[in-house]
Amino acid sequence: MIVNTPAIVLSTIKYGEADLIARIYTKKLGTQSYMLKGIRKSRKGKLRVSLFQPLTQLEIQTQHKGKGSLEYIKEATTSFTYVNIPVDIAKSCVALFFGEVLSQLLTEQQPDEQLYDYLSTIFEYLDQTDHTANFTLKALLDMSELMGFGIDKSTIGFPYLNMLDGSFDNNGLQPHHLNQEESSLMKAFIGTKIDAIHTIKINRNQRTALLNLVLDYFKIHLHTFKKPNSLDILKQLFDS
C-alpha cells in the first residue's frame, strides 16, 4: 500500500557503490529501513543524499509492504528546513549524537505519535535556540520518560537518586545511588521545561559528569545500549 508519512532520518550506511540504506523513524509506520538505490551517483533522481542527513525531517511516500524486509521510498521532501544545524558545528555534533542514540532506542519502535511529535519539536527547537549546552541532558531525560523507563517524578522530594529503580529515596551512599549534588542536578533537569534549561547553572565538569550518569542510566535500563561514538566530540563542544 502507498503510505505518506512524516519521518525523521536516524542514520544511513553505504551499500555497494551507489546505494544507501537509511534507518528512518516515521510517524505512521514506526522505525523502518529503506533501500535508496543509486542515490550516491544519480544527479537527476527524485531522492538526494542531502535529504538523508541525521535528524532531517521529511515527508515521504513509500510503497509499504510490511514484510520485514527493506522498503523503498518513492518520493521525499523536506518538511522542516534546518537553518543552523547544518552550519553550526556544535549543533551538527548534537544532531549526530542523537542520530546515534535514536538508532539504538528506536530499533523496533512501533508508531507513537506522542514520541514522534516530541522529537520533531525538540529538533526544531535545537535548530533555533541559542542555548545548546544543556539541551542533550534534557532531551535524553525526556526521551526516557516517553519511552517508559524515565525517573519517577513522584519521588522527587527525596534526596538521592537510585539508578537501578529510577526513583529518589533516603538511602544515600548505597550502591547505585547518586550523591546529593548529582541527584539535585537531575531534579533540576527533570523539573525544568526545555525552553528554560539555560537557567540551570552547571559548569563544564558537572555537565560532563551528569551526561555520563544519564547514559549509564540508559545502559542500566536498556541492556543493549552503548555510549555513542560521537560522545567525546560532543563533550569537547560543551560550553563552560
Side-chain angles (χ1 to χ4, degrees):
M1 67 177 171
I2 299 292
V3 177
N4 294 285
T5 178
I8 298 173
V9 178
L10 303 180
S11 63
T12 59
I13 58 171
K14 295 178 181 179
Y15 186 81
E17 295 185 359
D19 306 339
L20 284 177
I21 296 175
R23 193 74 171 161
I24 298 178
Y25 182 48
T26 74
K27 188 169 186 176
K28 293 183 180 179
L29 302 170
T31 304
Q32 301 290 328
S33 292
Y34 294 97
M35 173 64 78
L36 307 174
K37 299 284 291 183
I39 192 173
R40 291 163 53 207
K41 289 191 174 181
S42 175
R43 296 184 178 180
K44 298 181 180 180
K46 294 181 180 180
L47 304 180
R48 305 184 308 279
V49 172
S50 60
L51 289 172
F52 296 92
Q53 302 305 307
L55 305 193
T56 301
Q57 298 194 39
L58 302 172
E59 184 73 30
I60 66 171
Q61 183 180 91
T62 175
Q63 178 74 49
H64 185 66
K65 297 179 180 179
K67 296 181 178 180
S69 57
L70 289 172
E71 303 279 356
Y72 292 87
I73 294 175
K74 295 171 66 67
E75 296 182 9
T77 56
T78 304
S79 60
F80 179 88
T81 301
Y82 296 128
V83 175
N84 297 303
I85 288 177
V87 298
D88 183 298
I89 294 176
K91 291 184 178 183
S92 294
C93 288
V94 172
L96 180 62
F97 174 84
F98 275 101
E100 286 191 73
V101 169
L102 291 171
S103 291
Q104 295 190 63
L105 295 184
L106 304 177
T107 53
E108 299 178 0
Q109 185 68 28
Q110 297 301 306
D112 183 334
E113 289 197 6
Q114 182 182 16
L115 177 60
Y116 184 91
D117 288 344
Y118 171 78
L119 295 174
S120 175
T121 298
I122 63 162
F123 295 141
E124 290 175 17
Y125 173 81
L126 172 64
D127 184 65
Q128 297 166 11
T129 185
D130 293 326
H131 305 289
T132 59
N134 290 338
F135 174 87
T136 303
L137 286 163
K138 177 59 177 174
L140 288 172
L141 289 168
D142 282 353
M143 286 178 193
S144 68
E145 181 178 3
L146 286 167
M147 297 189 72
F149 62 99
I151 295 168
D152 184 358
K153 292 181 179 179
S154 69
T155 63
I156 207 164
F158 295 101
Y160 303 103
L161 176 62
N162 182 335
M163 297 275 276
L164 282 182
D165 65 14
S167 64
F168 294 91
D169 59 36
N170 284 318
N171 301 321
L173 304 181
Q174 296 298 312
H176 308 294
H177 280 69
L178 303 190
N179 63 36
Q180 196 157 1
E181 178 186 2
E182 294 164 342
S183 299
S184 294
L185 287 173
M186 284 286 198
K187 291 179 184 181
F189 278 94
I190 293 169
T192 303
K193 292 184 178 180
I194 199 160
D195 58 358
I197 53 174
H198 61 280
T199 63
I200 300 174
K201 302 305 178 184
I202 182 173
N203 62 40
R204 179 192 294 270
N205 291 336
Q206 289 173 314
R207 188 179 294 113
T208 298
L210 199 65
L211 178 57
N212 282 326
L213 289 171
V214 171
L215 293 174
D216 285 342
Y217 182 82
F218 274 58
K219 290 172 66 177
I220 289 170
H221 294 273
L222 304 168
H223 299 304
T224 60
F225 184 82
K226 297 180 181 179
K227 290 187 177 181
N229 294 326
S230 56
L231 178 61
D232 289 339
I233 299 173
L234 189 66
K235 287 177 181 177
Q236 294 174 23
L237 293 169
F238 277 151
D239 295 332
S240 58

